[in-house]
Amino acid sequence: MHVAIVGIGLIGGSVALDLRRAGFATRLTGVGSSPARAEIALQLGLVDRVTTLETAVREADLVILAIPVDRIVAMLPQLLDWVDHQTVTDMGSTKQAIVDAIRHHPRRNRFVAAHPMAGTENSGPTAAQARLFEGKVAVLCDLADSAPDAVQTIEDLYTTLGMRLTRLDAATHDLQAAYVSHLPHVLSYALARTVLQQEQTDPAIFTLAGGGFASTARLAKSAPDMWTPIFRQNRTAVLAAIQAYQQQLQTLQDAIAAGDESRLRTLITEANDIRRVLA
Amino acid sequence: MHVAIVGIGLIGGSVALDLRRAGFATRLTGVGSSPARAEIALQLGLVDRVTTLETAVREADLVILAIPVDRIVAMLPQLLDWVDHQTVTDMGSTKQAIVDAIRHHPRRNRFVAAHPMAGTENSGPTAAQARLFEGKVAVLCDLADSAPDAVQTIEDLYTTLGMRLTRLDAATHDLQAAYVSHLPHVLSYALARTVLQQEQTDPAIFTLAGGGFASTARLAKSAPDMWTPIFRQNRTAVLAAIQAYQQQLQTLQDAIAAGDESRLRTLITEANDIRRVLA
């Protein structure tokens, strides 16, 4: 299959590596946002060639959008104009704004809205890695609006990447992603900013930073180009998640301020229930 | 050297493994809070024998307290009564309350206050692992109050564990630990509680939880026996850190609520500066 990957960064590059290795892609065309990144992707052998968006879409069998969600929304209507038999999919962290952007497009059914729940805090083609998706969950959304053969192609794609498939409507995806993905990014950004601010009066503050800090602040390395539009597109759900989180934080703060050890012990013990979820 | 380890859990057990392997400890005596845990520690070969606190202290050359900070404060004055030539040290996450507890003890100078910045979210002797401390930072506090030979013994201990040494007064340690260790635990507990609460109305909420959630919620597995007394003893600094964090969270929330992408991009870019600290 001839696969075109739009956005040859961490996600697009990692997909390319796995699809080539598995033989799923017999030809790989890349579309990059800058000549410099495209050149790196070529040198790394992630794709066979780099071309324009229109050429890539017209010649490919499968078009994968691995770009920030604002660019998906902006690009998708035009892109579907160039489509007849091709399957088009995206890998963005929001789904509602994306399906809304093409709700009445005559080629809507060639598009499959998807979100593979994988990534790292790094970006760009040099961050691409094999088996990034293996064992993780891919969400497919609003499949009733997609043609059965297009859905089959995308199911094959994610099966090839070693992912477990789950199906949700776009609104439910966005709400769930707000809690388990977007909120963790917000709180990690807030933590990084808090300690960086403290560093201004306490220059050695990071000397004691160990594994716990690294774990909770890791997501704060994530790029603004990717995350700014996610927070905008999923604003309502993200704000609801932040508000629920602020209440929990306040509850813990109150117990600490009151010196109420019994209460604090209960709150922590309840939080420990997360062991059910985290191996 | 005959080393007594009080508390043969994750930390004490891991210390035992490394000290025996390096030949630093020629004899290892354990003191456990329960016969069951002591039995496990013996079966795992972490210590050679288990005995009472008083016997262990009187017979050892070096006594290491690897127990929750409330128990260190409660135990230390009595324990120093049994000491003449021995060196005693602790591995607790707070320092001020501990040094305060023995400030006027006639054997104060046999004690060296320390905090190796290492650990995992697991606990108990089965969680012990070799090389847990390697390459990390150990903080030694208020060394002017300790005898030079006792300080030398503890420096040798941490060098044997492969740690880098840093020296701080207890108050500075507690403030810095509040930001880079205690605060991350608070926000991880709050995150876990937020999503567990959401699970009550949305049972599939964790389906999409991936690496980002795992990273930020990992510390929420940490035990209440360890963390409740840390938050109590370091209450002032922890509350200051939480307050600074809440302001940063509010700043991010305001930018998201206002749909102010330019502002949000700036806030995220500033947070990305954490790459200086996190490899």
PDB file of all heavy atoms in Angstrom, chain B residues 160-176:
ATOM      1  N   THR B 160      29.652   4.646  48.950  1.00  0.00           N
ATOM      2  CA  THR B 160      29.507   3.224  48.642  1.00  0.00           C
ATOM      3  C   THR B 160      28.225   2.950  47.855  1.00  0.00           C
ATOM      4  O   THR B 160      28.195   2.099  46.966  1.00  0.00           O
ATOM      5  CB  THR B 160      29.510   2.402  49.948  1.00  0.00           C
ATOM      6  OG1 THR B 160      30.750   2.631  50.625  1.00  0.00           O
ATOM      7  CG2 THR B 160      29.343   0.912  49.669  1.00  0.00           C
ATOM      8  N   LEU B 161      27.173   3.691  48.185  1.00  0.00           N
ATOM      9  CA  LEU B 161      25.895   3.518  47.476  1.00  0.00           C
ATOM     10  C   LEU B 161      25.924   4.184  46.094  1.00  0.00           C
ATOM     11  O   LEU B 161      24.946   4.105  45.343  1.00  0.00           O
ATOM     12  CB  LEU B 161      24.740   4.095  48.302  1.00  0.00           C
ATOM     13  CG  LEU B 161      24.436   3.376  49.634  1.00  0.00           C
ATOM     14  CD1 LEU B 161      23.332   4.111  50.390  1.00  0.00           C
ATOM     15  CD2 LEU B 161      24.043   1.918  49.398  1.00  0.00           C
ATOM     16  N   GLY B 162      27.025   4.868  45.779  1.00  0.00           N
ATOM     17  CA  GLY B 162      27.156   5.493  44.459  1.00  0.00           C
ATOM     18  C   GLY B 162      26.474   6.835  44.344  1.00  0.00           C
ATOM     19  O   GLY B 162      26.153   7.282  43.235  1.00  0.00           O
ATOM     20  N   MET B 163      26.260   7.499  45.475  1.00  0.00           N
ATOM     21  CA  MET B 163      25.517   8.760  45.452  1.00  0.00           C
ATOM     22  C   MET B 163      26.441   9.971  45.424  1.00  0.00           C
ATOM     23  O   MET B 163      27.582   9.918  45.884  1.00  0.00           O
ATOM     24  CB  MET B 163      24.579   8.846  46.663  1.00  0.00           C
ATOM     25  CG  MET B 163      23.596   7.696  46.708  1.00  0.00           C
ATOM     26  SD  MET B 163      22.258   7.940  47.916  1.00  0.00           S
ATOM     27  CE  MET B 163      21.088   8.915  46.958  1.00  0.00           C
ATOM     28  N   ARG B 164      25.915  11.064  44.886  1.00  0.00           N
ATOM     29  CA  ARG B 164      26.597  12.349  44.946  1.00  0.00           C
ATOM     30  C   ARG B 164      26.148  13.050  46.220  1.00  0.00           C
ATOM     31  O   ARG B 164      24.964  13.051  46.563  1.00  0.00           O
ATOM     32  CB  ARG B 164      26.226  13.194  43.728  1.00  0.00           C
ATOM     33  CG  ARG B 164      26.826  12.662  42.434  1.00  0.00           C
ATOM     34  CD  ARG B 164      26.340  13.430  41.214  1.00  0.00           C
ATOM     35  NE  ARG B 164      24.952  13.107  40.917  1.00  0.00           N
ATOM     36  CZ  ARG B 164      23.968  13.996  40.769  1.00  0.00           C
ATOM     37  NH1 ARG B 164      24.226  15.282  40.907  1.00  0.00           N
ATOM     38  NH2 ARG B 164      22.745  13.612  40.488  1.00  0.00           N
ATOM     39  N   LEU B 165      27.095  13.658  46.936  1.00  0.00           N
ATOM     40  CA  LEU B 165      26.789  14.261  48.234  1.00  0.00           C
ATOM     41  C   LEU B 165      26.546  15.752  48.107  1.00  0.00           C
ATOM     42  O   LEU B 165      27.252  16.448  47.379  1.00  0.00           O
ATOM     43  CB  LEU B 165      27.962  14.034  49.192  1.00  0.00           C
ATOM     44  CG  LEU B 165      28.177  12.583  49.626  1.00  0.00           C
ATOM     45  CD1 LEU B 165      29.499  12.452  50.380  1.00  0.00           C
ATOM     46  CD2 LEU B 165      27.023  12.135  50.514  1.00  0.00           C
ATOM     47  N   THR B 166      25.552  16.247  48.818  1.00  0.00           N
ATOM     48  CA  THR B 166      25.374  17.681  48.926  1.00  0.00           C
ATOM     49  C   THR B 166      25.051  18.007  50.380  1.00  0.00           C
ATOM     50  O   THR B 166      24.529  17.158  51.108  1.00  0.00           O
ATOM     51  CB  THR B 166      24.292  18.193  47.941  1.00  0.00           C
ATOM     52  OG1 THR B 166      24.328  19.608  47.902  1.00  0.00           O
ATOM     53  CG2 THR B 166      22.911  17.735  48.327  1.00  0.00           C
ATOM     54  N   ARG B 167      25.406  19.204  50.809  1.00  0.00           N
ATOM     55  CA  ARG B 167      25.234  19.585  52.215  1.00  0.00           C
ATOM     56  C   ARG B 167      24.310  20.790  52.313  1.00  0.00           C
ATOM     57  O   ARG B 167      24.487  21.762  51.573  1.00  0.00           O
ATOM     58  CB  ARG B 167      26.593  19.910  52.843  1.00  0.00           C
ATOM     59  CG  ARG B 167      27.479  18.677  53.007  1.00  0.00           C
ATOM     60  CD  ARG B 167      28.959  18.997  53.092  1.00  0.00           C
ATOM     61  NE  ARG B 167      29.742  17.766  53.010  1.00  0.00           N
ATOM     62  CZ  ARG B 167      30.044  17.141  51.861  1.00  0.00           C
ATOM     63  NH1 ARG B 167      29.661  17.646  50.700  1.00  0.00           N
ATOM     64  NH2 ARG B 167      30.743  16.011  51.878  1.00  0.00           N
ATOM     65  N   LEU B 168      23.348  20.708  53.182  1.00  0.00           N
ATOM     66  CA  LEU B 168      22.385  21.804  53.359  1.00  0.00           C
ATOM     67  C   LEU B 168      22.026  21.916  54.829  1.00  0.00           C
ATOM     68  O   LEU B 168      22.108  20.938  55.569  1.00  0.00           O
ATOM     69  CB  LEU B 168      21.089  21.509  52.590  1.00  0.00           C
ATOM     70  CG  LEU B 168      21.092  21.554  51.065  1.00  0.00           C
ATOM     71  CD1 LEU B 168      19.740  21.090  50.542  1.00  0.00           C
ATOM     72  CD2 LEU B 168      21.386  22.969  50.583  1.00  0.00           C
ATOM     73  N   ASP B 169      21.580  23.110  55.248  1.00  0.00           N
ATOM     74  CA  ASP B 169      20.973  23.144  56.572  1.00  0.00           C
ATOM     75  C   ASP B 169      19.574  22.547  56.466  1.00  0.00           C
ATOM     76  O   ASP B 169      18.966  22.504  55.394  1.00  0.00           O
ATOM     77  CB  ASP B 169      20.934  24.576  57.118  1.00  0.00           C
ATOM     78  CG  ASP B 169      20.065  25.482  56.296  1.00  0.00           C
ATOM     79  OD1 ASP B 169      20.580  26.003  55.278  1.00  0.00           O
ATOM     80  OD2 ASP B 169      18.888  25.647  56.630  1.00  0.00           O
ATOM     81  N   ALA B 170      19.071  22.057  57.609  1.00  0.00           N
ATOM     82  CA  ALA B 170      17.819  21.299  57.613  1.00  0.00           C
ATOM     83  C   ALA B 170      16.646  22.107  57.059  1.00  0.00           C
ATOM     84  O   ALA B 170      15.805  21.586  56.315  1.00  0.00           O
ATOM     85  CB  ALA B 170      17.512  20.814  59.040  1.00  0.00           C
ATOM     86  N   ALA B 171      16.589  23.387  57.398  1.00  0.00           N
ATOM     87  CA  ALA B 171      15.459  24.209  56.937  1.00  0.00           C
ATOM     88  C   ALA B 171      15.464  24.356  55.416  1.00  0.00           C
ATOM     89  O   ALA B 171      14.421  24.274  54.762  1.00  0.00           O
ATOM     90  CB  ALA B 171      15.505  25.586  57.607  1.00  0.00           C
ATOM     91  N   THR B 172      16.647  24.566  54.845  1.00  0.00           N
ATOM     92  CA  THR B 172      16.744  24.697  53.387  1.00  0.00           C
ATOM     93  C   THR B 172      16.386  23.379  52.712  1.00  0.00           C
ATOM     94  O   THR B 172      15.684  23.355  51.691  1.00  0.00           O
ATOM     95  CB  THR B 172      18.168  25.141  52.984  1.00  0.00           C
ATOM     96  OG1 THR B 172      18.459  26.382  53.635  1.00  0.00           O
ATOM     97  CG2 THR B 172      18.287  25.313  51.482  1.00  0.00           C
ATOM     98  N   HIS B 173      16.890  22.273  53.281  1.00  0.00           N
ATOM     99  CA  HIS B 173      16.501  20.970  52.751  1.00  0.00           C
ATOM    100  C   HIS B 173      14.990  20.830  52.692  1.00  0.00           C
ATOM    101  O   HIS B 173      14.416  20.409  51.681  1.00  0.00           O
ATOM    102  CB  HIS B 173      17.064  19.823  53.600  1.00  0.00           C
ATOM    103  CG  HIS B 173      16.396  18.512  53.286  1.00  0.00           C
ATOM    104  ND1 HIS B 173      15.202  18.145  53.879  1.00  0.00           N
ATOM    105  CD2 HIS B 173      16.711  17.528  52.417  1.00  0.00           C
ATOM    106  CE1 HIS B 173      14.824  16.975  53.386  1.00  0.00           C
ATOM    107  NE2 HIS B 173      15.722  16.585  52.513  1.00  0.00           N
ATOM    108  N   ASP B 174      14.324  21.172  53.798  1.00  0.00           N
ATOM    109  CA  ASP B 174      12.878  20.956  53.877  1.00  0.00           C
ATOM    110  C   ASP B 174      12.130  21.819  52.864  1.00  0.00           C
ATOM    111  O   ASP B 174      11.139  21.373  52.261  1.00  0.00           O
ATOM    112  CB  ASP B 174      12.374  21.251  55.295  1.00  0.00           C
ATOM    113  CG  ASP B 174      12.707  20.109  56.258  1.00  0.00           C
ATOM    114  OD1 ASP B 174      13.456  19.184  55.860  1.00  0.00           O
ATOM    115  OD2 ASP B 174      12.218  20.147  57.399  1.00  0.00           O
ATOM    116  N   LEU B 175      12.596  23.046  52.655  1.00  0.00           N
ATOM    117  CA  LEU B 175      11.944  23.923  51.684  1.00  0.00           C
ATOM    118  C   LEU B 175      12.139  23.380  50.266  1.00  0.00           C
ATOM    119  O   LEU B 175      11.193  23.301  49.475  1.00  0.00           O
ATOM    120  CB  LEU B 175      12.509  25.344  51.792  1.00  0.00           C
ATOM    121  CG  LEU B 175      11.826  26.367  50.875  1.00  0.00           C
ATOM    122  CD1 LEU B 175      10.375  26.571  51.257  1.00  0.00           C
ATOM    123  CD2 LEU B 175      12.569  27.704  50.887  1.00  0.00           C
ATOM    124  N   GLN B 176      13.357  23.002  49.954  1.00  0.00           N
ATOM    125  CA  GLN B 176      13.625  22.491  48.604  1.00  0.00           C
ATOM    126  C   GLN B 176      12.899  21.171  48.365  1.00  0.00           C
ATOM    127  O   GLN B 176      12.327  20.950  47.285  1.00  0.00           O
ATOM    128  CB  GLN B 176      15.134  22.327  48.390  1.00  0.00           C
ATOM    129  CG  GLN B 176      15.869  23.681  48.436  1.00  0.00           C
ATOM    130  CD  GLN B 176      17.309  23.610  47.949  1.00  0.00           C
ATOM    131  OE1 GLN B 176      17.818  22.533  47.660  1.00  0.00           O
ATOM    132  NE2 GLN B 176      17.945  24.761  47.863  1.00  0.00           N
TER     133      GLN B 176
END
